[in-house]
Amino acid sequence: MTVERGMIGPVQLAWTVAAPDSGETVARFGESQRLRHAAMDPARAARFATGRSLLAEVLSALTPIDGIRLSSTCEQCGGDHGRPHVLGDRLGVSVSYAGDMVVAAAARLDRVTAIGVDIERVTSSEGATLTELAALFAPQPPPTLREWTLIEAAVKADGRGLRVPVSEVGLDEGHLVLPGGFAVRMPGRTAPIEAAPAPGPAGFAVSVAVVPAADAPR
């Protein structure tokens, strides 16, 4: 498995194509992760294991990962199917999938308090309008592919997921910790979120979002 790496601001990224895994890397992050992996069909298990392998890559750039465990407890229902959280250190992580391509991101929770990452395959151009999302965003125009990845990453960093009406999410110029970032306007939220295009594999658009720490330079 060939892993490529990138970085934007305080966020470490890694990406690769999903491949089958025995579960050894998954198991190092704890029994709950091993059990999730074991219950999945082969294609999903490969993506899941690859995501955890990439998290090991990006986390190792920030801290020794021996003893670090992951939790996938859903913040809404308590089930073991939520986004990953690091146990044992102040680190934020996020994983995204586009077909068999997997990207993972991690940052220390000092300049930022949460992160999200999104990846989408580019079929024509990053500036192409996603007309298939017109009904979701009406009466506003639908976003471009790049704008959609920024919105999706921001929603992940926010933590409310599908409870956020994405049609009400807006992007403004200006950044604090992500070069080339946008300030994200999000309903029901006063704390700022910032999103920016990020390094990623050819043929895909990757965006990262963070919640800047309260003492981030302004």
Side-chain angles (χ1 to χ4, degrees), residues 3 21 23 32 35 41 49 57 77 84 94 101 145-146 149 160-161 163 168 174 189-190 203 217:
V3 175
D21 187 277
S32 68
L35 291 174
D41 63 71
E57 288 275 342
C77 72
S94 185
M101 183 61 71
L145 176 66
R146 171 56 70 186
T149 65
R160 288 176 290 167
R163 292 181 296 150
E168 298 179 30
R189 184 183 183 91
T190 56

Side-chain angles (χ1 to χ4, degrees), residues 30 101 127 147 149-150 153-154 166 176 198 203-204 207 211:
M101 183 61 71
E147 290 169 341
T149 65
L150 293 166
V166 293
L176 299 174
F204 294 82
S207 289
V211 178

Side-chain angles (χ1 to χ4, degrees), residues 6-191:
M7 184 176 181
I8 178 170
V11 180
Q12 297 280 340
L13 297 116
W15 56 88
T16 193
V17 176
D21 187 277
S22 65
E24 181 177 347
T25 301
V26 173
R28 75 181 298 172
F29 285 124
E31 181 68 2
S32 68
Q33 302 298 291
R34 186 191 69 77
L35 291 174
R36 279 193 71 186
H37 178 257
M40 294 175 178
D41 63 71
R44 189 179 176 198
R47 291 191 294 269
F48 182 83
T50 300
R52 269 38 183 182
S53 294
L54 292 176
L55 285 180
E57 288 275 342
V58 290
L59 286 170
S60 65
L62 301 171
T63 187
I65 63 172
D66 289 343
I68 285 182
R69 298 292 182 265
L70 293 176
S71 167
S72 301
T73 301
C74 175
E75 298 167 24
Q76 304 307 313
C77 72
D80 192 17
H81 55 250
R83 60 178 180 163
H85 295 274
V86 174
L87 305 175
D89 206 341
R90 285 183 46 76
L91 296 156
V93 296
S94 185
V95 182
S96 185
Y97 311 91
D100 287 337
M101 183 61 71
V102 188
V103 60
R108 294 210 63 86
L109 298 182
D110 44 24
R111 293 176 64 195
V112 304
T113 62
I115 73 169
V117 66
D118 186 61
I119 182 171
E120 303 288 344
R121 185 182 296 275
V122 178
T123 56
S124 56
S125 73
E126 293 183 9
T129 298
L130 299 180
T131 55
E132 64 270 27
L133 298 181
L136 182 62
F137 281 84
Q140 303 300 320
T144 64
L145 176 66
R146 171 56 70 186
E147 290 169 341
W148 179 240
T149 65
L150 293 166
I151 291 169
E152 284 281 273
V155 168
K156 289 183 179 182
D158 173 79
R160 288 176 290 167
L162 295 176
R163 292 181 296 150
V164 176
V166 293
S167 62
E168 298 179 30
V169 178
L171 304 171
D172 298 320
E173 295 291 339
H175 65 274
L176 299 174
V177 295
L178 296 178
F182 295 82
V184 182
R185 291 177 278 108
M186 190 167 293
R189 184 183 183 91
T190 56

